[in-house]
Amino acid sequence: MQIRLDDQLATETLAALIADRCAPGDCLALSGGLGAGKSTFARAFLRHLAQDRQMEVPSPSFALVQPYETPKGAVHHYDLWRLDGPDALYELAWDEACEGIMLVEWPERAGDLLPEGALHLTFAPGDGEDSRVVDLTGWPEKRLTGLHP
């Protein structure tokens, strides 16, 4: 499924719609170049799950992982850009995180350790300044129904 996001609000709306469909054991794999919209999506997703629009959501670029507690349980936000290799994930509470909800930026660096059935969101610039196009794969079509923001 491909969705066109006209602006930041559309990205945030999509994040909220997907957050409503998530449950413990789900993994969202966020791909795309720098500035493609991954961090905007992740912040909106986490704020929606935490039911806190003002929540501080720092980038996990240097820590590699940032844990959160939400009404739906534990959420781990990973940024694997600086990861040395998939084996390093075991030092980052990866197994524990797989039991909760996971947001994984640069998921290709997780190799075979990325959970099966992850929702892959691939962000690309759109034709306008703030527009994006996102491809969604990995979840059954009925779980994606109604996601157009």
Side-chain angles (χ1 to χ4, degrees):
M1 168 186 284
Q2 187 175 80
I3 298 176
R4 180 175 163 26
L5 303 168
D6 291 327
D7 52 27
Q8 182 173 330
L9 179 59
T11 301
E12 293 169 350
T13 301
L14 177 64
L17 290 169
I18 291 175
D20 287 341
R21 289 167 168 78
C22 278
D26 283 335
C27 176
L28 304 184
L30 310 179
S31 299
L34 295 172
K38 299 182 304 292
S39 294
T40 298
F41 178 92
R43 281 187 186 94
F45 180 90
L46 289 162
R47 287 174 177 155
H48 187 80
L49 278 183
Q51 300 173 357
D52 182 354
R53 290 178 165 200
Q54 304 304 317
M55 182 175 77
E56 186 68 30
V57 181
S59 172
S61 294
F62 294 102
L64 301 179
V65 62
Q66 184 70 41
Y68 297 89
E69 280 301 322
T70 74
K72 285 193 175 187
V75 180
H76 288 79
H77 180 195
Y78 287 88
D79 183 331
L80 304 183
W81 175 250
R82 299 181 328 110
L83 190 73
D84 291 333
D87 290 341
L89 291 172
Y90 293 113
E91 299 172 23
L92 300 172
W94 187 260
D95 288 338
E96 175 189 326
C98 288
E99 296 174 16
I101 297 172
M102 300 171 71
L103 277 173
V104 182
E105 296 185 51
W106 306 101
E108 62 278 2
R109 296 182 186 261
D112 293 340
L113 296 178
L114 195 69
E116 219 174 284
L119 174 61
H120 292 265
L121 296 97
T122 304
F123 292 85
D127 53 9
E129 185 177 326
D130 290 331
S131 69
R132 304 283 184 262
V133 175
V134 62
D135 286 309
L136 291 85
T137 59
W139 277 6
E141 189 174 328
K142 81 174 189 184
R143 196 166 180 198
L144 297 173
T145 302
L147 282 183
H148 291 281

